[in-house]
Amino acid sequence: MKAITLTLQTQQPILATSFQGDPNSDVSYSYIPGSMIRGAIIGRYMRQHHLSELDLTNKDVKRLFFDANSTRYLNAYLLSYEKQPQRTLPLPLCWFKDKDAELKEDLPITVYDFSIERGDDPETPKSVGEYFWTKEREVVKLYKEKRRINIHNFRDRQKGRSTDNQGEIFRYDALDAGQIFQSVILCEDEDVTAIQDLLAEPNLWLGGSKSAGYGHTKIIDPKPLNAWNEIGVPAEKREDNDEVLNITLLSDTLLRDECGQPVADPMLIKQAVEEMLNISLPEPSNIFAGSTLISGFNRKWGLPLPQVPALAAGSVMVFEGIEINESQIQQLEDQGIGERREDGFGRIAVNGLKNLLFSASLAKSSDTSSLPPLKDEASRLLAEQMAQRLLEQKLEEYLQKKVGPLSLDDGISNSQLSRLQSVARQGLPNGDCSLVISLLNNLPSNAKSQFDRTKIGNESDKKSFRQQLDEWLGNPTDWINGIEVKIADVDRKFDDDRARQDKLAEKYTLRLIMAVAKKATKEKK
């Protein structure tokens, strides 16, 4: 198949709405979905051919837009800033670092690939976080998209202003203007010219709220390539991998179980690979999987698509005692697995990076943001207040997500849980964790045994409740993973100087302890 690289420079913020945030906000994905690109190109095709709707019985239409075996529109991920720009990829979930190692520009830290048999692991491993990556001169560079937050209010369409019934405030968290993303369109040789004609006009409008200053992008020099590989390493260099098969998802993947229901079960990856290659795989030796919800928008219906669970990009599955050849690797990577492959879902990489540990650092910041600096003191003060509230809102959402899968064994009494909540509540106004530490260090023997023998966690990873409390209280920032907010040129992070001054991490750690204790009490009832 031929590959056409589609480089997009955002001229306005892009609103590619995901399922994050509260009901009064729309939060964009960290990339431009392939479904959005496919929809925009379908719109161009209809305008060029003066069509009011597509003829789905037309063979050319089916092949160009609806047949995943013929044409696939991959997600547009960030393009690296280096002299030879590369399309970045989602970070694998099996990459960990030491919790005290801080990612910085031009100061590499050691990153460990836990999908490979572990050697000298860090004592306290922590997930690297949500980034995009590419390899540059033997160092993995990590990229993060830039965002813009705008506040809007509902207006009456006829009067052009808000009314008593329509004046609610809502928020758009969009991909910022001035960034460069790259997608790839995989197609048959006979369709290259047709697709290039559809990409000839440089101005392309993507996403929602196009009439409100969102969605304008420019296409930069689309190029057809004869030989293209998504991870940049030829398949023949990856077939000899010491009888280890490593499969990494490069995009969200939609798979169905034997009942036809979409589920986020990593074992369905094994089943899909076996069916495609007609082979039998052993049980996986390592699994690092995440889940997400996916949907979309059907412009024909004017309605959103149903929300369904899917395996998240970056999920990794490892099989030992199995080898596959070059042609099998190419077949898997070219076709992908699962449903909606024409929209860029189901992309996989086979036997990517093989290093047990390697160096990684943040890429140098790009100066392409379109956010103007705030010169007026009143505007800056307002932006700082908004950033603080949004940061606390994100922390609140993260707290709820953290508490959800945690559960306590039935080994501790309600009276001890109530006492723990009461002491944590006393320390909450000033972020004083020492009160809870003092309580735990001076427990009577009976209460101490209850905290020690009670287990907390999910089914696959449980530890002593006392041990978990000590870890949270000893390092309050460790359970929070890379939360930050930017409004204009005002940056707020959960661990910046102001957050440390306000003891933000300590306060939310105490709230986490209170929430866990309250949940356990309710579950007992």
Side-chain angles (χ1 to χ4, degrees):
M1 298 186 74
K2 285 291 182 69
I4 301 175
T5 58
L6 177 60
T7 304
L8 300 168
Q9 184 176 42
T10 58
Q11 306 297 305
Q12 294 177 338
I14 305 296
L15 191 62
T17 306
S18 65
F19 294 105
Q20 305 175 56
D22 59 52
N24 292 323
S25 67
D26 281 344
V27 181
S28 180
Y29 285 108
S30 55
Y31 57 90
I32 301 175
S35 58
M36 189 176 290
I37 296 170
R38 183 173 70 103
I41 294 177
I42 288 175
R44 281 192 172 184
Y45 179 90
M46 294 174 66
R47 287 192 295 273
Q48 284 187 8
H49 292 79
H50 308 289
L51 301 174
S52 58
E53 60 180 37
L54 289 176
D55 179 8
L56 300 184
T57 62
N58 184 295
K59 292 183 179 179
D60 291 339
V61 169
K62 289 171 65 177
R63 190 179 65 253
L64 282 172
F65 305 121
F66 300 101
D67 184 1
N69 294 321
S70 299
T71 311
R72 294 180 284 283
Y73 299 81
L74 308 192
N75 296 334
Y77 296 136
L78 283 169
L79 196 66
S80 66
Y81 314 140
E82 296 302 306
K83 294 181 180 179
Q84 295 182 337
Q86 304 175 57
R87 177 174 175 258
T88 60
L89 295 171
L91 197 79
L93 300 181
C94 59
W95 288 5
F96 288 79
K97 65 180 182 68
D98 190 279
K99 71 175 184 180
D100 296 325
E102 183 179 353
L103 286 165
K104 297 181 179 179
E105 296 180 10
D106 296 327
L107 188 60
I109 64 170
T110 300
V111 172
Y112 302 81
D113 187 349
F114 278 13
S115 69
I116 301 173
E117 185 177 354
R118 305 181 190 180
D120 297 330
D121 290 350
E123 291 184 3
T124 52
K126 183 179 181 180
S127 173
V128 175
E130 296 181 2
Y131 293 93
F132 294 92
W133 72 278
T134 187
K135 195 172 183 181
E136 300 166 5
R137 295 188 296 274
E138 302 306 317
V139 176
V140 169
K141 292 289 186 178
L142 304 181
Y143 290 80
K144 190 79 171 176
E145 78 285 356
K146 295 179 180 178
R147 293 179 171 270
R148 181 189 293 193
I149 297 175
N150 289 329
I151 308 299
H152 300 273
N153 67 300
F154 286 105
R155 293 184 296 175
D156 185 276
R157 289 183 177 272
Q158 294 180 342
K159 295 182 179 180
R161 58 179 174 80
S162 60
T163 63
D164 293 338
N165 297 324
Q166 290 182 315
E168 296 90 347
I169 299 295
F170 63 97
R171 174 171 61 96
Y172 282 162
D173 185 344
L175 295 173
D176 194 13
Q179 300 182 91
I180 300 179
F181 296 81
Q182 188 175 82
S183 171
V184 176
I185 302 174
L186 302 176
C187 62
E188 304 288 351
D189 292 354
E190 60 185 294
D191 295 325
V192 171
T193 302
I195 292 177
Q196 282 188 298
D197 289 343
L198 292 170
L199 301 177
E201 164 58 40
N203 294 300
L204 185 68
W205 297 83
L206 300 168
S209 295
K210 299 183 185 71
S211 62
Y214 292 86
H216 184 199
T217 67
K218 278 197 173 181
I219 300 174
I220 303 174
D221 192 21
K223 296 179 181 179
L225 303 174
N226 291 322
W228 177 80
N229 185 277
E230 196 155 5
I231 63 173
V233 181
E236 62 267 18
K237 294 184 178 181
R238 292 180 278 131
E239 59 180 337
D240 181 16
N241 198 37
D242 300 325
E243 295 189 348
V244 174
L245 175 61
N246 183 304
I247 294 178
T248 305
L249 301 186
L250 302 182
S251 65
D252 296 340
T253 300
L254 176 58
L255 297 167
R256 294 183 183 270
D257 61 15
E258 65 275 6
C259 299
Q261 296 298 316
V263 292
D265 181 1
M267 293 305 294
L268 293 176
I269 298 175
K270 173 178 180 289
Q271 180 181 326
V273 172
E274 288 177 333
E275 291 176 356
M276 178 172 288
L277 300 182
N278 195 24
I279 61 175
S280 179
L281 295 175
E283 291 300 309
S285 58
N286 259 325
I287 298 177
F288 300 86
S291 62
T292 185
L293 286 174
I294 60 174
S295 181
F297 191 83
N298 189 305
R299 295 175 67 182
K300 173 68 174 177
W301 301 342
L303 293 170
L305 298 175
Q307 301 177 21
V308 294
L311 289 164
S315 298
V316 177
M317 180 173 279
V318 182
F319 304 91
E320 294 182 353
I322 186 73
E323 286 187 351
I324 62 175
N325 57 39
E326 176 187 347
S327 64
Q328 290 173 317
I329 292 176
Q330 288 180 337
Q331 182 182 357
L332 280 173
E333 294 183 343
D334 287 348
Q335 294 295 324
I337 59 175
E339 298 186 355
R340 293 183 63 184
R341 291 180 292 119
E342 67 276 10
D343 288 332
F345 291 96
R347 304 299 302 169
I348 65 175
V350 179
N351 298 340
L353 286 178
K354 301 179 182 179
N355 298 333
L356 175 62
L357 52 91
F358 47 88
S359 297
S361 66
L362 294 177
K364 288 184 178 179
S365 298
S366 170
D367 296 328
T368 57
S369 175
S370 65
L371 294 174
L374 295 175
K375 299 179 180 179
D376 181 72
E377 188 61 31
S379 298
R380 175 168 292 278
L381 179 60
L382 179 61
E384 288 176 352
Q385 293 173 349
M386 292 171 64
Q388 175 69 15
R389 291 175 182 175
L390 289 173
L391 179 67
E392 292 178 1
Q393 183 184 42
K394 285 194 172 185
L395 284 168
E396 186 73 27
E397 293 170 359
Y398 191 84
L399 173 66
Q400 295 176 10
K401 184 178 178 181
K402 180 74 174 179
V403 172
L406 294 177
S407 60
L408 287 176
D409 290 346
D410 190 15
I412 188 169
S413 65
N414 283 350
S415 61
Q416 294 300 330
L417 292 172
S418 177
R419 188 181 180 194
L420 179 64
Q421 286 187 72
S422 177
V423 174
R425 191 177 294 110
Q426 291 177 25
L428 186 58
N430 299 317
D432 187 2
C433 293
S434 63
L435 294 177
V436 180
I437 295 174
S438 177
L439 167 70
L440 297 175
N441 289 337
N442 296 281
L443 289 170
S445 58
N446 181 39
K448 182 178 182 299
S449 65
Q450 291 185 43
F451 278 89
D452 288 337
R453 69 170 179 261
T454 301
K455 302 294 183 183
I456 184 175
N458 51 42
E459 293 299 327
S460 60
D461 182 21
K462 288 200 172 187
K463 60 178 66 175
S464 162
F465 189 31
R466 173 62 188 272
Q467 179 187 351
Q468 182 64 83
L469 289 173
D470 288 340
E471 290 178 5
W472 285 339
L473 294 166
N475 297 285
T477 59
D478 284 357
W479 66 275
I480 307 171
N481 191 16
I483 295 177
E484 59 182 299
V485 170
K486 184 170 185 176
I487 296 181
D489 59 341
V490 176
D491 279 307
R492 285 304 320 276
K493 297 182 179 180
F494 76 97
D495 57 352
D496 60 17
D497 291 339
R498 179 175 172 182
R500 284 193 289 270
Q501 182 179 351
D502 294 342
K503 292 191 173 183
L504 207 57
E506 286 82 356
K507 290 178 181 178
Y508 276 88
T509 298
L510 292 172
R511 291 194 57 191
L512 173 65
I513 293 172
M514 293 167 58
V516 169
K518 184 177 181 179
K519 180 185 176 187
T521 303
K522 284 187 175 181
E523 288 175 347
K524 284 175 178 289
K525 293 180 180 179

